[in-house]
Amino acid sequence: MRWIADDPSAPDRDELQRVLASAMAGSAEAVADLTDRMAAPLTFGTAGLRGPLRAGPAGMNLTVVRRAAWGIGRYLQESGERGGTVVVGYDGRRRSAEFAADVAGVLGAQGFSVLLGDGPRPTPVTAFATRDLAAAAGLQVTASHNPPQDNGLKVYLRGGAQLIAPQDARIERAIAAAPAARSIDAGGPVGGWPESIVPDYLSGTARLARGPHAGADLTVALTPMHGVGGEIAVKALHLAGFPAVHVVAEQAVPDGAFPTVPFPNPEEPGATDLLLALARRTGAAVAVALDPDADRCAIGVPDGDAWRMLTGDETGALLGDHLLRHLDRTAHPDPLVATTIVSAELLRAVAAAHGARYDETLTGFKWIVRAGDGDGTGLVFGYEEALGLCVDPDRVRDKDGISAAVLACDLVAELAAAGSSVPGRLDELARAHGLFVTGPLSIRVTDLALIPAAMRRLRASPPATLLGEPVTESTDLLPQTDGLRWRTGRVRVVVRPSGTEPKLKCYLQVHADVPDGTDGPALGALRTATAAELDRLRAEVAQIIGL
């Protein structure tokens, strides 16, 4: 009742009152729902808040957002950023515009110079604006690729990087100390983004393509997956010299209900079916799938007589190699590339071949952009297997699906001009460095308690063998992260809870040496055999996990 009384949103108050009334009338389902909503507040996961749209402290709603904005503002004030610039953006999800306007008003009332986007914008553009304007912080209302019932609030600090510990804990304490939402002033002055932000982002992104290659002749199929990246991605590709871009019509307009996909994540089965159908119809050379806030990018290519989506590890290795091949060593004399402890280890070999430094970090771009000495000095490329790619870290200190799409099209155009293809380049990398065949095993649960219970059991009883080989390494990644790593001579498995979804994630890798002189058919047979081993490993690990 106290929460309801303090809630400034009439619809949210009514929603919680209905649940409370049903619970008091004896509905067991309503009691469980009310308990879940009121049990604990949302906590900071991957650089901010994320949760279901619902009333109560354990949901994304106006009360939670307003108190979060107040806490973030208080943290900034205590960190010496009083009166600084704060950039606020939002995506096309339900209530995103409402939440962003409220965040902006709260921060404006706290004395910050707040710049609110005039419409839905991709998350990477907000990250760019935060860095470009030397802002004290940037806030983006988004739940990225989560299901339609979710929303979130992502936080960038000065320099455009996501926050890390202990900053997150300090913000959580400030939020916990926030007054009742009704008493927080949300009517402060708010300005708009400078008109130069989007054009500057586009021009810099377009320069990633070295062209012209055969760009004018390259046909691109693209989907923004009902998100906000379509218009800007098409403009960036046009500026980069790729005018023939076809967009999936059914998914072109921002729609927070995501009507054509159950989960708006390019990794999910079936999510790219419409895109690949369009690619076949238009004779495209490459297919690009952005997630709804355009910070992730999946690439599809023709492979023989069929189309397939590349894995995040394949795309990461290809773009890392492509970037290093053409890197200006005068501007970047000591380049660094980075990925995470769960990504394929091919990038390590690619970096060595190009004389670049290599680092592995914990999962998440808040760590990747701080690779090396902890501040990302010299970073020219970073990726994670979950389709996150940072190909221009000097401008966007986070994953950026739009700039990655431009670089991918540049690679495809260069290969086409040389009479080659993406599968051909993958074969070239395999002959040079061996096969690193990777794949995920994601186990979604409805009872979150199952995940920590599984992790406790796996810590107590790790497997003795994988694919019939003895496990030579069984590493508990605590306290750095809640994860486990198992290795044999050719196999690596990492198990960890997701930071953003109710999933236990397993990252699988099988390595195979490629003998000198291996021809195309033999390499194809080896790749097929290694992929079959990966499938057996996936089934074996699923049995070990036991959920």
Side-chain angles (χ1 to χ4, degrees):
M1 292 303 297
R2 186 164 58 248
W3 182 275
I4 291 170
D6 290 339
D7 195 326
S9 167
D12 289 342
R13 291 196 303 272
D14 292 345
E15 177 189 326
L16 199 56
Q17 284 173 330
R18 287 193 299 270
V19 176
L20 177 60
S22 296
M24 294 179 68
S27 167
E29 182 179 356
V31 169
D33 184 15
L34 190 65
T35 301
D36 188 46
R37 290 170 183 252
M38 303 302 296
L42 290 181
T43 58
F44 270 69
T46 304
L49 294 171
R50 193 175 294 185
L53 285 163
R54 61 181 183 180
M60 283 295 296
N61 52 69
L62 194 65
T63 296
V64 166
V65 169
R66 183 172 293 184
R67 296 181 77 244
W70 188 94
I72 292 166
R74 176 57 61 90
Y75 164 81
L76 292 172
Q77 290 171 338
E78 293 173 350
S79 301
E81 299 284 8
R82 189 179 300 273
T85 298
V86 178
V87 176
V88 179
Y90 58 96
D91 67 7
R93 285 178 176 264
R94 289 188 295 126
R95 302 191 72 177
S96 286
E98 173 196 356
F99 291 164
D102 204 75
V103 165
V106 170
L107 292 168
Q110 289 178 314
F112 293 96
S113 175
V114 182
L115 305 177
L116 174 65
D118 61 356
R121 291 284 183 265
T123 296
V125 180
T126 299
F128 167 78
T130 303
R131 190 169 175 85
D132 186 64
L133 297 173
L139 281 69
Q140 175 82 353
V141 179
T142 181
S144 190
H145 58 282
N146 273 36
Q149 65 268 24
D150 289 357
N151 213 324
L153 181 63
K154 188 170 186 177
V155 182
Y156 297 103
L157 297 182
R158 183 173 293 281
Q162 300 175 40
L163 60 90
I164 56 174
Q167 299 156 340
D168 53 355
R170 290 179 59 193
I171 291 176
E172 278 192 301
R173 288 195 295 270
I175 294 171
R182 272 183 178 271
S183 67
I184 295 174
D185 184 357
V190 175
W193 284 14
E195 293 183 0
S196 60
I197 289 297
V198 172
D200 287 352
Y201 171 82
L202 286 169
S203 62
T205 300
R207 286 195 294 270
L208 292 169
R210 298 176 310 101
H213 307 310
D217 301 321
L218 190 79
T219 300
V220 180
L222 183 142
T223 177
M225 207 157 288
H226 300 293
V228 297
E231 180 182 357
I232 288 182
V234 170
K235 288 180 178 179
L237 289 167
H238 286 178
L239 286 171
F242 305 106
V245 182
H246 299 268
V247 179
V248 175
E250 300 91 330
Q251 299 173 336
V253 177
D255 185 343
F258 309 110
T260 67
V261 286
F263 295 102
N265 180 351
E267 291 182 294
E268 293 286 343
T272 58
D273 287 355
L274 291 174
L275 171 68
L276 295 183
L278 176 66
R280 286 189 289 269
R281 287 198 310 272
T282 58
V286 61
V288 175
L290 304 174
D291 74 343
D293 70 330
D295 67 347
R296 298 171 193 254
C297 172
I299 300 297
V301 296
D303 192 355
D305 295 329
W307 275 82
R308 75 176 182 92
M309 299 303 295
L310 301 177
T311 68
D313 283 322
E314 287 176 322
T315 303
L318 285 164
L319 295 190
D321 175 71
H322 181 60
L323 190 149
L324 288 173
R325 285 173 186 253
H326 302 292
L327 188 67
D328 181 355
R329 292 302 179 98
T330 302
H332 302 281
D334 187 24
L336 169 68
V337 298
T339 188
T340 73
I341 57 174
V342 304
S343 300
E345 295 170 304
L346 176 55
L347 186 63
R348 181 196 302 272
V350 168
H354 291 291
R357 290 182 293 134
Y358 171 83
D359 194 18
E360 286 183 3
T361 73
L362 300 179
T363 56
F365 271 83
K366 61 184 177 182
W367 301 115
I368 290 174
V369 301
R370 293 177 171 92
D373 295 331
D375 60 1
T377 299
L379 185 69
V380 297
F381 176 78
Y383 93 93
E384 60 183 0
E385 45 66 48
L387 306 179
L389 296 140
C390 178
V391 304
D392 193 10
D394 286 344
R395 298 175 67 250
V396 178
R397 214 71 173 168
D398 196 6
K399 54 186 175 290
D400 181 353
I402 297 169
S403 62
V406 169
L407 191 65
C409 290
D410 184 65
L411 168 64
V412 172
E414 177 183 277
L415 291 172
S420 186
S421 65
V422 166
R425 177 56 57 83
L426 286 171
D427 286 350
E428 182 182 334
L429 293 175
R431 290 189 179 96
H433 310 299
L435 282 171
F436 294 80
V437 180
T438 61
L441 170 64
S442 293
I443 303 169
R444 185 179 290 270
V445 300
T446 53
D447 181 359
L448 287 175
L450 292 173
I451 292 178
M455 293 298 291
R456 287 192 297 270
R457 176 169 47 79
L458 294 170
R459 285 190 167 94
S461 301
T465 63
L466 292 168
L467 291 184
E469 297 182 359
V471 172
T472 57
E473 176 196 330
S474 181
T475 302
D476 189 342
L477 301 175
L478 286 173
Q480 288 82 10
T481 189
D482 184 9
L484 299 166
R485 182 172 60 216
W486 308 320
R487 287 187 188 272
T488 74
R490 299 192 309 116
V491 169
R492 187 206 65 191
V493 175
V494 179
V495 182
R496 59 176 284 271
S498 170
T500 58
E501 298 176 272
K503 288 181 178 181
L504 188 64
K505 290 189 171 183
C506 306
Y507 306 84
L508 315 177
Q509 175 182 279
V510 180
H511 177 258
D513 292 324
V514 178
D516 292 340
T518 301
D519 61 13
L523 180 56
L526 180 60
R527 183 175 276 115
T528 298
T530 309
E533 287 187 301
L534 182 74
D535 289 339
R536 291 197 298 273
L537 178 64
R538 183 180 287 110
E540 184 176 346
V541 172
Q543 188 172 12
I544 292 168
I545 299 299
L547 291 178

